Amino acid sequence: MKKFKYKFNTLTYVLIGLCLALAVAALILNTYFLCRDGISSAANVVYPILQYALTYFVALAVLLLLVSLLLSSYYSVTKDTFTTCFGIIKSKYKVQDIDMIVLDKTNPKKKDRLAVYFNNDTYIVIVVKPEWFDAFTDALKEANPSIRYDIENPEDLPRDDDQDGSKKG
């Protein structure tokens, strides 16, 4: 099995870090208020028990979700399956259902984009380091040699002066 780690951008790392900090702060504050006030000071003890339990549950769920996102986000290729794992969300596809891999270089403002197209006209955009594009493509083509590979370049796009979409030149 070949694994390719998911590549998060800087903004995503910052947002994950902020959410992790908020979850830890919620756990610390909840524990502080629980120790300071207790649950017996309320007229009805059910409300504080629910409040503290729910706060712990939500904060721990957010922590687990975000940590799993950081540690377990990858693509893997075996001889039969192509797996995408985004934290706790996992999807498996048959390698035989892959029709084509396209490396899109047509947008000069954005980085290159790698996409895997399936026989049922759906596709997945692959988010790995650009240095891994070739290794990822090779792993899929090794598992299924009938997969087509295409590179879309800016010069492949029709120019503005083309009326019918054909290239003149």
Side-chain angles (χ1 to χ4, degrees), residues 29-48:
L29 284 172
N30 199 44
T31 303
Y32 169 75
F33 287 125
L34 181 62
C35 292
R36 186 188 77 180
D37 299 336
I39 56 172
S40 60
S41 64
N44 185 354
V45 295
V46 174
Y47 175 70

Side-chain angles (χ1 to χ4, degrees), residues 48-141:
I49 290 173
L50 288 174
Q51 177 185 355
Y52 291 128
L54 186 60
T55 304
Y56 278 121
F57 175 76
V58 170
L60 287 173
V62 168
L63 276 173
L64 290 174
L65 180 69
L66 293 175
V67 168
S68 75
L69 194 68
L70 289 173
L71 298 178
S72 183
S73 292
Y74 62 88
Y75 304 96
S76 68
V77 179
T78 65
K79 67 177 186 159
D80 298 321
T81 59
F82 165 56
T83 305
T84 62
C85 190
F86 191 68
I88 59 172
I89 302 168
K90 187 181 265 190
S91 301
K92 288 188 176 189
Y93 308 92
K94 292 180 182 176
V95 174
Q96 299 306 317
D97 292 341
I98 298 173
D99 180 42
M100 181 169 54
I101 302 168
V102 176
L103 177 57
D104 185 359
K105 296 182 171 207
T106 57
N107 191 341
K109 295 180 183 176
K110 292 187 178 181
K111 295 184 178 181
D112 297 346
R113 185 178 95 156
L114 190 67
V116 173
Y117 288 83
F118 297 94
N119 294 331
N120 60 359
D121 294 330
T122 60
Y123 69 95
I124 298 174
V125 176
I126 305 301
V127 186
V128 295
K129 292 181 181 179
E131 303 86 54
W132 297 348
F133 284 176
D134 290 338
F136 179 81
T137 302
D138 291 344
L140 281 176
K141 286 188 69 61

Side-chain angles (χ1 to χ4, degrees), residues 144-165:
N144 180 2
S146 67
I147 295 174
R148 295 180 293 147
Y149 179 68
D150 187 28
I151 299 175
E152 294 180 356
N153 290 306
E155 43 289 341
D156 296 339
L157 296 175
R159 295 185 310 224
D160 291 337
D161 57 344
D162 292 343
Q163 298 299 324
D164 62 356

